[in-house]
Amino acid sequence: MDGEWHRVHLLTPFVRSWLLLVALVWGFANTFVDDVVSSFVKHEPIQVDVGGAVRVVGAGLGLAVLCGVLGVLIGLGLLSWWFTRYQITGEHVRFRSGWLFRTQRQARLDRVQGIDVERRFLPRVLGLSSLKFDVADGGSSVLELSYLGRDHARELRSQLLVAAHRAAERQETARATSPAAVPDAEAGSAGADPAPGTRSGRSREGVDVRVAQKYGILSERDELRRVFTVPTARVLLALVCSPPAVVLLLLALLTAGLSVWFPEALVVVLPTAVPPLLGVVSGLYSRLERSWGFTLSEVPEGVRTRSGLFNERSSTIPTGRVQALEVTAPLLWRFFGGHRVTVTTAGKGGAGGTETLGSVVLPVGTWEQVRDVLELVLPLEQTPTDLVTEGLRGIGGSENFTTSPRRARWLDPLTWRRTGFAMDEAVLVLRRGRLARHASVVPHHKTQSAALSQGPLERRFGLSDLSVHVTPGSVTTAVAHLDVADARALLERHTQLARAARARVGARAPERPWSTAAPAPDTVR
């Protein structure tokens, strides 16, 4: 923490630009795709003639151009490395990059919620790692230090955790000693429960967890408890039963049919099908990469996920930072009891419905594992297991769930009996979908605002949509086509419960720099 500027590893620019090399190779190989496909269909030997190009250009000139291009790329890489630096002080972490267009990003250490180590395939082969900072209110703008040596990254992470905890302590002390904050701090500390992220009384092999959490002496591999590891067989079964696998099967059947009845059509169809085929394979690989070896562990800060086949990644989800949770039961997964759980976490990004590693806490698992996740990531006095169970399995209205009226079938002919909501004193549960069933859980005290909306067709049928606004993420927190009276009653009741839930949370723990309670919801009618 000397405040000096340090450079990243020398191989960083070359690791980042490996895609350029792949693009160049693909551009060269794409020239011969038609010849290869034609030879495959016509059962002729592959003939690739590059002699003409060599005679036209000249072997010496071609070699000189190739060496010149490589020299320019190496020079640009070294220039980029020279201007890529990072600085660590007692208050901030700063990262500078670029020699033509310069950028600087920084993160306040007292706002750092966690530091994760990521090792992608090529950096992992070269012994490199990157550090990703989870910053409160950081949104999708994540600060990343890449790339560093593996041992140096681990050592730097430990030092940064210590500095982050000390900076947070100084911030809390300053807030507590200010004249306006002293009464509130004393009132909050009297009879208050431990903060959601603190597991007092637990120890691991003689280590006082509270002291370890305070000074950040637990490394990224330390954990209080390994909750579960998803078996490889279940990962592969879920992959086979996923939509990309079904699309790939249909493409394979289509290709087989063409090869039998219209073999000449393959000359046109195969080159055209390469881009969508690559997209499908890429989707399958992404699912496999995010699910392979997936492990959920309990750590002092909250829970940590770790997965990766070639790219080893980990993500820490601090307790109390989860804004919403969604359990999904796809149609084909229900045959073997598979469920998927995603969360929206403040500061983790994932806006716009995208999924990141930090948003997936169970790629495919049993109902027992879903219950474990609900107990760990939602810091509630009573876990809403029964409501989530009914949200996934129930159809039609019940004692707990209010669903869309019968006239909504003209707009939702398949899902109107599934669309509905239920709530208790702590959470609001929204359900939707018939083929792929979804149940979203929103703690009342995480709600930022709520809104009703109507389109022209909905006004004609007397229906309304309700949206509950939390931190943007991959969880859907809206329910469509409710009866107008039910929607207004839900909005009013949810607003009352949100105020009461925030009052309970505020009375249990003193306010922190990264408060987990959301602001008071605004009611929009």
Side-chain angles (χ1 to χ4, degrees):
M1 313 304 168
D2 50 9
E4 297 182 359
W5 289 93
H6 304 275
R7 291 187 177 88
V8 295
H9 199 277
L10 182 61
L11 296 177
T12 296
F14 305 105
V15 172
R16 289 179 173 176
S17 60
W18 70 274
L19 285 176
L20 177 61
L21 179 61
V22 173
L24 292 175
V25 173
W26 170 250
F28 179 77
N30 190 42
T31 308
F32 310 107
V33 169
D34 293 339
D35 295 333
V36 173
V37 172
S38 178
S39 300
F40 173 76
V41 173
K42 298 178 180 179
H43 304 286
E44 298 177 353
I46 300 176
Q47 296 180 357
V48 178
D49 183 17
V50 296
V54 172
R55 287 192 298 270
V56 172
V57 177
L61 180 59
L63 183 61
V65 171
L66 179 61
C67 292
V69 171
L70 291 177
V72 170
L73 293 178
I74 293 175
L76 292 176
L78 292 176
L79 189 63
S80 174
W81 167 79
W82 183 264
F83 285 95
T84 303
R85 306 180 182 186
Y86 66 92
Q87 180 193 47
I88 301 174
T89 66
E91 303 294 335
H92 296 86
V93 177
R94 296 185 176 92
F95 184 75
R96 288 180 179 176
S97 60
W99 56 275
L100 185 58
F101 300 98
R102 299 185 180 182
T103 60
Q104 175 172 313
R105 304 177 67 182
Q106 70 176 20
R108 286 172 47 185
L109 288 178
D110 62 319
R111 306 292 290 178
V112 172
Q113 302 295 304
I115 304 174
D116 301 317
V117 179
E118 182 175 288
R119 301 178 62 198
R120 296 180 180 271
F121 175 66
L122 185 56
R124 186 178 179 182
V125 172
L126 299 176
L128 304 179
S129 302
S130 61
L131 296 180
K132 282 193 173 182
F133 292 80
D134 174 23
V135 183
D137 303 328
S140 59
S141 179
V142 180
L143 178 64
E144 178 179 354
L145 295 183
S146 59
Y147 288 94
L148 307 172
R150 181 178 56 187
D151 296 334
H152 178 52
R154 292 177 179 175
E155 180 181 357
L156 185 60
R157 178 185 180 273
S158 300
Q159 296 175 1
L160 285 170
L161 283 176
V162 173
H165 283 295
R166 289 176 177 171
E169 286 180 349
R170 289 195 299 269
Q171 184 71 11
E172 289 188 9
T173 302
R175 291 168 61 92
T177 55
S178 61
V182 171
D184 295 336
E186 293 177 353
S189 60
D193 296 334
T198 305
R199 293 168 171 80
S200 58
R202 293 194 183 183
S203 61
R204 178 178 159 288
E205 298 180 358
V207 176
D208 190 332
V209 175
R210 290 172 296 183
V211 176
Q213 181 182 4
K214 180 178 179 181
Y215 294 105
I217 62 177
L218 291 176
S219 69
E220 74 275 6
R221 295 186 180 275
D222 287 319
E223 56 193 29
L224 298 177
R225 178 171 66 98
R226 178 164 295 187
V227 183
F228 58 76
T229 298
V230 179
T232 303
R234 189 183 302 154
V235 170
L236 296 178
L237 179 60
L239 193 68
V240 171
C241 297
S242 63
V246 175
V247 173
L248 188 62
L249 177 62
L250 294 178
L251 290 177
L253 293 177
L254 177 62
T255 303
L258 290 176
S259 64
V260 174
W261 289 292
F262 305 100
E264 294 81 5
L266 291 179
V267 180
V268 179
V269 173
L270 284 184
T272 307
V274 168
L277 182 63
L278 290 178
V280 173
V281 174
S282 176
L284 287 172
Y285 170 74
S286 298
R287 288 174 175 262
L288 181 64
E289 186 68 44
R290 291 196 301 264
S291 306
W292 187 272
F294 188 94
T295 300
L296 181 73
S297 303
E298 192 176 5
V299 296
E301 300 87 352
V303 296
R304 175 174 294 131
T305 61
R306 186 184 302 276
S307 66
L309 177 60
F310 297 109
N311 303 313
E312 181 181 326
R313 304 178 183 180
S314 65
S315 179
T316 302
I317 303 175
T319 302
R321 300 288 292 173
V322 174
Q323 310 295 299
L325 177 145
E326 182 173 321
V327 184
T328 304
L331 175 63
L332 297 180
W333 288 15
R334 294 203 290 272
F335 292 103
F336 61 91
H339 299 81
R340 178 182 179 85
V341 182
T342 57
V343 296
T344 293
T345 308
K348 281 291 186 180
T354 60
E355 287 188 359
T356 61
L357 177 65
S359 68
V360 179
V361 292
L362 181 61
V364 53
T366 62
W367 177 246
E368 289 73 18
Q369 292 174 337
V370 173
R371 296 182 62 176
D372 291 338
V373 170
L374 289 173
E375 294 176 359
L376 282 173
V377 304
L378 292 179
L380 302 173
E381 296 179 358
Q382 185 176 359
T383 306
T385 307
D386 295 337
L387 290 181
V388 175
T389 303
E390 188 174 354
L392 290 175
R393 302 174 183 175
I395 297 178
S398 65
E399 180 181 356
N400 295 322
F401 272 85
T402 301
T403 57
S404 300
R406 183 174 179 81
R407 59 182 178 276
R409 71 186 186 278
W410 298 106
L411 300 180
D412 285 330
L414 297 179
T415 63
W416 67 274
R417 296 187 63 198
R418 280 273 310 156
T419 303
F421 67 91
M423 58 182 168
D424 56 17
E425 299 296 323
V427 299
L428 170 66
V429 178
L430 309 175
R431 76 181 189 190
R432 71 185 195 281
R434 181 175 288 270
L435 299 181
R437 298 183 177 182
H438 306 267
S440 301
V441 181
V442 183
H444 290 312
H445 66 283
K446 300 295 184 180
T447 304
Q448 297 177 359
S449 64
L452 294 178
S453 61
Q454 277 186 316
L457 290 179
E458 290 174 320
R459 285 196 295 271
R460 172 65 179 82
F461 288 99
L463 304 175
S464 181
D465 300 341
L466 175 76
S467 299
V468 179
H469 302 144
V470 295
T471 301
S474 57
V475 176
T476 300
T477 56
V479 59
H481 304 153
L482 297 176
D483 182 80
V484 172
D486 292 338
R488 291 186 179 275
L490 168 61
L491 183 63
E492 183 177 356
R493 179 60 176 160
H494 174 61
T495 302
Q496 297 173 354
L497 292 175
R499 292 196 184 100
R502 272 192 307 277
R504 291 195 302 269
V505 172
R508 270 203 309 268
E511 184 73 11
R512 294 177 176 268
W514 51 83
S515 173
T516 58
D522 300 324
T523 302
V524 181
R525 295 183 182 270

